[in-house]
Amino acid sequence: MPSARTQLKIEGRPVWAEISASALTHNMRAIRDFVNPPSEKRKTPRKVLSIVKGNGYGHGGPQVARILEKAGSDWFGVTCTNEGIDVRRAGVRKPILVLTSFWPGEEANLLRHDLTPVVHRCEQLQALDHAAAKRTSRKPVSFHLKIDTGMNRLGMATNDVECFVRQLAKCKHLRLGGVMTHFASSEAFAPAPQGQQTLEQEQSFYAALDRLRQLGVDTGIVHMANSAAIAARPESWGDMVRPGVILYGYHPGYDPPEQRAEAERRLPLKPVMSLRTRIISLRRVPSGAGVGYGAKFVAQRLSVIAVLAAGYGDGIHRSLGDGRGCVLVRGKLAPIVGIVSMDVTMIDVTDVPGIEIGNVATIYGTDGEHVHAANAVARGIGTVTSDLLCAVAARVPRIYVA
């Protein structure tokens, strides 16, 4: 039977995403405790930078940031200045790191909202210093340096460290607050080039840190560990870790796949989002009749087909159609049939007893003691969990529950 949570009153079109504050808080505190084992006896506990970019992986960036700040998150990570401003305007006071830096012309707005930029090119220092010099505050503006250690995406090349130090010495209004890198294959452990890449990145990063320190630079907060590295690579934890998808209840995929079970055992998590809708129509379809666009599904028996009030325009991945996915209804998994439409989806509920119009269907998430995990749904269609979570559309209301 549906849980009490599925009895929420939703005005208008019945599709919504329930965000569990208690699950989010549990995950945040579990991560913090995991990377601060008592056996280490560190003088300063490792910090946690919660990634809330991409609208908080679809959960609502400003809203989850407020929950995470109360749970003890030390920092927050966003993609761009506008995301950071949204989080700041929600009342979050902890530091916010703008991970992909700033576009020319954004410097003043970034500093006005007390956002910490990442610098990944030497020439960005001059523009940032110029904006910092115009502030009334005499306190230096802190930034973090990103070093590219092999991902070849964003970051300063390791052989540009000397150039960076020379340029920084000219910037009287800036202070280096931290140094970071980003792993390309931290989930890979198999005997292949990707399985060795993270170790090579770590070595390159530590060499760059040593060179910075030799040149008299205080490197500040050192951080590199993303979700997979947090769970499986303790040597990479540094001074701060950056959990992303694990904050929202799911471990990433691993190579080999068996590594995921070990990660889940070491660091148990709770799914935070449950994407739900309701059945808005039921019809009996005779054997041989087609259902939906192109009649991609043809009933092989007298079937009961339910229509859900949600489609790919809401976040039900179109790849889940034609029998590749299922939804949770009355404690049973009912297969998705035919092509997922923009606004509706069809499911076969022939074998679900007591089915009625108005019954709740959980696309993924939890319903009472039942769990339909988003990472399992993602694996079934060959994508990653965050693809599903981030795909939940803006028109779907987020309901924050305890």
Side-chain angles (χ1 to χ4, degrees), residues 202-223:
E202 288 176 4
Q203 292 167 3
S204 179
F205 185 54
Y206 286 125
L209 289 173
D210 287 343
R211 185 60 182 144
L212 283 168
R213 290 163 181 159
Q214 289 167 6
L215 293 170
V217 175
D218 181 352
T219 53
I221 301 170
V222 172
H223 53 111

Side-chain angles (χ1 to χ4, degrees), residues 84-240:
I85 292 171
D86 287 343
V87 171
R88 190 64 85 206
R89 285 176 172 166
V92 171
R93 306 308 335 148
K94 292 290 182 65
I96 300 171
L97 190 65
V98 182
L99 296 165
T100 56
S101 197
F102 54 91
W103 189 250
E106 286 190 316
E107 300 90 348
N109 207 23
L110 182 145
L111 300 181
R112 187 178 302 116
H113 291 89
D114 192 24
L115 307 178
T116 303
V118 166
V119 165
H120 57 80
R121 301 194 319 274
C122 263
E123 59 266 30
Q124 292 177 306
L125 289 171
Q126 185 177 4
L128 188 62
D129 188 58
H130 183 67
K134 295 181 177 180
R135 301 170 75 230
T136 55
S137 172
R138 304 184 68 173
K139 183 179 178 182
V141 168
S142 179
F143 70 95
H144 286 207
L145 169 66
K146 185 170 188 176
I147 295 177
D148 176 26
T149 55
M151 191 166 187
N152 291 313
R153 195 175 66 175
L154 290 177
M156 196 170 297
T158 54
N159 57 11
D160 283 342
V161 165
E162 284 79 4
C163 169
F164 166 79
V165 173
R166 288 195 302 270
Q167 187 65 39
L168 180 61
K170 301 175 185 177
C171 299
K172 305 304 180 185
H173 306 282
L174 302 183
R175 178 181 66 84
L176 180 62
V179 183
M180 63 182 290
T181 194
H182 193 53
F183 292 140
S185 307
S186 59
E187 73 286 348
F189 290 85
Q194 289 82 4
Q196 294 299 313
Q197 187 175 16
T198 303
L199 295 177
E200 293 169 359
Q201 285 192 261
E202 288 176 4
Q203 292 167 3
S204 179
F205 185 54
Y206 286 125
L209 289 173
D210 287 343
R211 185 60 182 144
L212 283 168
R213 290 163 181 159
Q214 289 167 6
L215 293 170
V217 175
D218 181 352
T219 53
I221 301 170
V222 172
H223 53 111
M224 56 190 133
N226 56 4
S227 287
I230 289 168
R233 298 182 183 273
E235 78 283 355
S236 72
W237 289 346
D239 301 319
M240 182 165 71

Side-chain angles (χ1 to χ4, degrees), residues 35 88 143 195 306 337 383 385:
V35 299
R88 190 64 85 206
F143 70 95
V337 297
T383 190
T385 310

Side-chain angles (χ1 to χ4, degrees), residues 30 34 47 77 79 95 140 149 159 168 182 190 239 254 261 284 324 339-340 386:
F34 185 72
K47 299 180 184 296
T79 293
T149 55
N159 57 11
L168 180 61
H182 193 53
D239 301 319
Y254 285 89
R284 295 169 69 84
R324 297 187 67 191
I339 294 175
V340 176
S386 47

